[in-house]
C-alpha cells in the first residue's frame, strides 16, 4: 500500500495555547475552528505525544517533534528522577506544570507512561528520555 501526503520528522502547526518558552514540554493535538492545533495537556492520561522544539504565541506556528522510540528527547522534568524511571505527565495542579513530566508516583491512580529516563534528573532539568508508549498504568496503594 502506498502512502501519500504524509510527513516524517518535525512538524509545524498552529499553537492552540500560548507556547512561548515551552521548549521541552509535551503537547497534544487538538482542533480549533476545524484546524489542527498544538495544546498543552489538561489531564494526566492525555496523549501528549509531541515535544515542543520552538514555542510560539497562540495562533502562530509552533515546531513539534513527534515522540518516537527510535530517538531520545529532552523533556522538562518536575521533581527528580533516576535513570530508568518511568516518566508520566505531571498532575498539573500548577498551571505552569502542564506539559512537564515526572517520575511515576507511588500514589494510587492511573498514569499514562510516556517515556523512560535515560539519565538521573533534577527538578526543572531537560532530562534525556526515551519515548516508550506503554499506555496507562494503574498504581494501587
Amino acid at each position: 500500500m502506498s502512502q501519500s501526503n504524509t510527513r516524517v520528522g518535525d512538524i509545524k502547526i498552529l499553537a492552540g495555547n500560548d507556547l512561548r518558552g515551552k521548549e521541552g514540554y509535551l503537547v497534544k493535538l487538538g482542533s480549533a475552528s476545524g484546524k489542527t492545533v498544538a495544546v498543552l495537556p489538561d489531564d494526566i492520561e492525555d496523549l501528549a505525544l509531541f515535544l515542543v522544539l520552538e514555542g510560539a504565541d497562540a495562533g502562530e506556528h509552533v515546531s513539534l517533534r513527534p515522540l518516537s522510540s527510535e530517538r531520545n528527547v529532552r523533556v522538562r522534568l518536575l521533581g527528580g528522577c533516576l535513570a530508568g524511571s518511568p516518566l508520566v505527565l505531571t498532575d498539573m495542579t500548577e498551571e505552569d506544570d502542564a506539559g512537564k513530566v515526572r517520575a511515576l508516583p507511588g500514589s494510587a491512580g492511573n498514569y499514562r507512561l510516556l517515556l523512560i529516563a535515560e539519565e538521573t534528573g533534577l527538578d526543572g532539568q531537560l532530562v534525556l528520555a526515551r519515548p516508550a508508549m506503554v499506555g496507562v498504568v494503574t498504581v494501587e496503594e
Side-chain angles (χ1 to χ4, degrees):
M1 180 172 107
S2 154
Q3 296 283 313
S4 62
N5 195 24
T6 63
R7 295 182 276 184
V8 175
D10 300 345
I11 61 173
K12 284 191 175 243
I13 62 173
L14 294 176
N17 299 112
D18 179 1
L19 297 176
R20 290 174 295 153
K22 300 293 185 183
E23 291 78 9
Y25 285 56
L26 296 179
V27 294
K28 63 181 181 175
L29 297 183
S31 180
S33 301
K35 294 187 180 188
T36 303
V37 294
V39 295
L40 292 165
D42 53 12
D43 186 273
I44 60 174
E45 291 187 42
D46 277 348
L47 288 168
L49 303 178
F50 297 85
L51 178 76
V52 177
L53 297 177
E54 185 179 339
D57 287 321
E60 299 295 322
H61 282 94
V62 61
S63 296
L64 304 177
R65 175 162 295 153
L67 295 183
S68 169
S69 61
E70 65 188 28
R71 180 180 194 162
N72 56 12
V73 294
R74 291 202 172 268
V75 292
R76 187 69 62 192
L77 183 67
L78 180 69
C81 73
L82 298 173
S85 295
L87 300 176
V88 299
L89 289 172
T90 62
D91 63 9
M92 295 168 250
T93 53
E94 298 292 326
E95 186 176 333
D96 191 47
D97 291 342
K100 292 181 182 179
V101 298
R102 64 179 171 160
L104 179 67
S107 56
N110 294 324
Y111 305 92
R112 183 171 302 281
L113 199 157
L114 296 170
L115 307 114
I116 304 294
E118 290 190 340
E119 66 185 5
T120 297
L122 302 173
D123 185 55
Q125 175 182 340
L126 284 169
V127 68
L128 188 65
R130 178 80 47 181
M133 305 307 164
V134 173
V136 176
V137 296
T138 300
V139 175
E140 296 179 1
E141 284 190 34

